[in-house]
């Protein structure tokens, strides 16, 4: 079995986040229609897709390029009697196959980094109705006085990572009004993401005891987790809520 799939096959989320933060961001959308049309880009297994479907009347489409994540979302929607509100589509965020001005809300938790923050908010905009919203969470620097160890780690793993102020500047020069932002709490990193990952890695270490490639890969995930433990005050996942003007 592919190691990535083995590690991730039933981890609740594929990136930091939590349902309280999803609801907090939803509460910042003030004037959306009663039955909004929503797109969730890079939905993964869809914890946030389900939370949005539970809290809004409209229809939500989750797109991802990973079929097994989409199948998990489909099953979760069925189990929670939300199949009529949740649709899944295998589609890339690089080439959205939707008409212009289709969505009241585009949502993307922990996935816009794949296309790039600036490119994503610019390219996805045409699919949002004027006055509609884009909500994304993005890894962001929280402080300027960063220790070299963590600065170097993210410089090589995510060189275009910015501070909150710089991301808001990008939002405002890209044809949006910045409605607000907030930092997800640390529990959003541990509860449904890092803790289940640590547990899974501990199990797989035994299975792959003599497999260098598998161990290297697990080492790098553990390194990322250790660095978060040490430096969580310097960076975090930040929700950015913006309105197309
Ligand atoms: C870090 S995960 C976040 C998943 C989910 N939003 C969450 O918070 O749990 C990023 C997701 O983007 C998906 N992805 C990667 N490349 C993509 C692409 N080109 N188009 C759409 N989704 C993509 C991955 O399969 C993965 O599910």
């Amino acid at each position: 079995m592919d190691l990535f799939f083995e590690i991730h096959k039933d981890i609740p989320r594929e990136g930091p986040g939590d349902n309280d933060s999803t609801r907090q961001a939803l509460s910042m959308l003030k004037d959306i229609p009663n039955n909004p049309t929503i797109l969730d880009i890079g939905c993964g297994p869809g914890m946030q897709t389900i939370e949005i479907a539970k809290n809004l009347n409209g229809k939500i489409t989750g797109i991802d390029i990973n079929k097994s994540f989409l199948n998990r979302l489909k099953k979760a929607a069925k189990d929670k009697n939300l199949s009529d509100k949740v649709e899944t589509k295998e589609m890339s965020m690089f080439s959205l196959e939707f008409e212009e001005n289709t969505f009241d809300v585009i949502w993307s938790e922990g996935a816009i980094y794949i296309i790039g923050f600036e490119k994503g908010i610019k390219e996805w905009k045409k699919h949002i109705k004027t006055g509609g919203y884009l909500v994304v969470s993005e890894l962001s620097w929280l402080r300027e006085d960063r220790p070299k160890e963590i600065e170097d780690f993210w410089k090589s793993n995510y060189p275009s990572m910015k501070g909150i102020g710089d991301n808001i500047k990008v939002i405002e020069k890209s044809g949006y009004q910045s409605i607000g932002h907030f930092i997800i709490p640390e529990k959003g990193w541990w509860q449904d993401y890092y803790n289940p990952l640590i547990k899974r890695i501990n199990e797989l270490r035994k299975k792959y005891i003599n497999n260098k490639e598998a161990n290297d890969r697990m080492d790098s995930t553990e390194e990322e987790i250790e660095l978060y433990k040490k430096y969580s005050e310097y960076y975090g996942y930040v929700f950015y809520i913006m309105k197309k003007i």
Side-chain angles (χ1 to χ4, degrees), residues 59-109:
K59 280 209 162 184
I60 181 159
T61 304
I63 65 157
D64 204 287
I65 53 167
N66 184 313
K67 254 195 183 147
S68 68
F69 291 155
L70 292 172
N71 287 338
R72 281 179 55 194
L73 170 55
K74 226 186 270 178
K75 183 172 182 312
K78 189 161 177 262
D79 292 347
K80 295 188 161 53
N81 285 324
L82 290 167
S83 296
D84 53 336
K85 293 173 86 176
V86 178
E87 195 184 1
T88 59
K89 278 200 169 99
E90 193 179 343
M91 192 188 291
S92 173
M93 66 173 76
F94 288 88
S95 47
L96 298 180
E97 299 154 30
F98 298 104
E99 299 290 317
E100 294 192 1
N101 305 310
T102 300
F103 297 101
D104 297 294
V105 182
I106 292 187
W107 200 276
S108 185
E109 292 195 26

Side-chain angles (χ1 to χ4, degrees), residues 18-42:
D18 61 293
N19 284 341
D20 291 346
S21 297
T22 300
R23 284 197 308 278
Q24 187 176 341
L26 273 175
S27 75
M28 294 165 82
L29 314 182
K30 293 294 178 212
D31 48 4
I32 48 170
N34 278 337
N35 272 296
T37 310
I38 308 149
L39 176 67
D40 184 2
I41 298 181

